[in-house]
Structure formats: structure tokens, C-alpha cells
Amino acid sequence: MTDQKKFTGKLSGTRILIVGGSTGLGYGVAEGVIEEGAKEVIISSSQESRIHGAIASLEKSYPSAKGKIKGYVCDLGTEDTLEQNVKDLLSKVGVVDHLVYTAGDKLKTTPLDQTDFAQLKKAGMVRFFAPWLIVRYAFSGKNIAPGPASSVILTTGSISQRPRPNWSIPAGYAGGLHAMTRNFALELAPIRVNLISPGMVETTLWDHIPPETQQKMFSETGKRVWTGKVGQTVDVTEGYLMLMKDHNITGSVVSSNGGSIYV
């Protein structure tokens, strides 16, 4: 006799789209769902080289997943082509059980009196307008399998919960994702829609910062937060997996921040 699988088999046989799945948290989610038995994992990125690199790396780590990982280029940062790029991506992907959005771009903070409308609009392309359009067209195009076993998971940041100087632009969009999630959960029901809100996580998102500056930033943050260290992808990924597997949770925010929003 073999053991029952009430918990570890919930993602077995599923198809999962991870927008932004070539690096950082998205790559971690790809690893997690492969280990959970997903039938097919589809990642998207703005750069084809990143997709090829991610697929090669995943297949090396998980030889059994060879042939089960696909990738498509989708530029989410250009206003003029954003809507069409989203439509094209979804037409290639087809129907999925879970849609995960982890895409991000370089964080830029600016003093409030030095910002303008052009900067404001550009900052929202990847972090706000793109996820809105992806969910809108995935819903209208029936790209998400119906029922509470299916889900959409968006990603925000702890700036939505704890203000910081010079972060007014990203804070506005990050906070807006909380409201977006709740309303999407209502409109897409019974498909579930939830939000992950990480604090600082040690990922490639920070690669535009010199290595010595990164390490100083991670060290100082680690000393301040209650867990004593900066978040790791392997830990934060657990929240995404939980939101996929708990068919009773929707319209909710899972915050993984080491206590940083309180200090």
C-alpha cells in the first residue's frame, strides 16, 4: 500500500504561468511548483536570453521536468505595445490552473519634489498596469480554468504597509495592488485572487546595485528585522505555494517581511 497524498498532491498535473519567472521570486516559484508535481510550467520574461537560461537551469536541477517547461518573451515595460503584448502572451499560453505575477523592474526612488508625471506613469507599467491588463485579458479570454482550485497571485511590496522617504511613487502602486486584488477576487469568483507582500528579499532585483553596496544593505536590514536576516527566495516562495493549494483563501494578502514593517 502507498500513502495517501492529501497535501503534497494538490498541484500535481496543473499548468502554471509565471509572469516574471526567469529570475528572482518567479524563478523560485517555478522551482516550487515543479517539486509539487506541476504538469507544465510556463515562464515569461522581457528577454529571450533569460528565458533560455532559466529553462536550462531548471532542467539541470530537475531532470524529470525536461520538456515540461516553456517560455515566452513578453515586454511589459513599453506603453505603446503593452496591451498587445499581453494578448499575444495569453494566446500562446492557453488555459492554466494558476497565474502568478512576479514581474518587476529596477526600483527607483526620488524625492517627491523632483518627480513628474512621465516618471509616475513609467513606474507603473510593470508594477501596476501590466498585472491589471494580464488579469483582465486572462479573465475575458478564459485563460484560467474555472473554479476555486484555480488562482491568480499578484505581488506587491512591504512599502505598501510601511512608508519610507522618497518612495511615494512605488508606494502608491504597491498599495493599489491591495485594492486591485480584493476587487479582482470579487469579479473573478469562484477563481481565487490573492496577493503576496514581501519585504526585502535577496534576489537579482538588486543586481543593478554594486555588490559591496548590496551586501551592506542586506547586512543592515538583517540587523534591524526580527528574524535577524534578509528574506530568502526559498522561504518567500512558500507563500505562493500555499495560496495555490488553499482552495479556501481569496482576496487576501500574505506578508513575508521578517517583521520589517514594524521596525
Side-chain angles (χ1 to χ4, degrees), residues 89-116:
L89 172 65
L90 293 171
S91 70
K92 296 171 186 173
V93 168
V95 179
V96 296
D97 299 285
H98 300 281
L99 190 166
V100 181
Y101 191 95
T102 63
D105 51 9
K106 293 178 182 179
L107 289 167
K108 185 177 181 181
T109 58
T110 310
L112 185 58
D113 59 0
Q114 296 177 27
T115 59
D116 57 30

Side-chain angles (χ1 to χ4, degrees), residues 132-212:
W132 193 95
L133 287 168
I134 284 176
V135 176
R136 176 258 188 267
Y137 283 112
F139 176 58
S140 63
K142 302 187 185 305
N143 287 94
I144 308 169
S150 299
S151 74
V152 173
I153 306 174
L154 304 178
T155 306
T156 186
S158 61
I159 187 64
S160 62
Q161 298 166 281
R162 184 181 186 275
R164 297 177 182 85
N166 303 329
W167 280 70
S168 291
I169 290 179
Y173 289 123
L177 283 162
H178 285 247
M180 182 193 295
T181 296
R182 291 190 293 269
N183 228 74
F184 277 158
L186 171 65
E187 297 195 60
L188 270 66
I191 295 168
R192 298 174 298 106
V193 185
N194 293 291
L195 184 67
I196 291 281
S197 180
M200 183 178 288
V201 184
E202 193 170 348
T203 71
T204 52
L205 177 66
W206 307 102
D207 280 359
H208 64 287
I209 299 174
E212 61 275 10

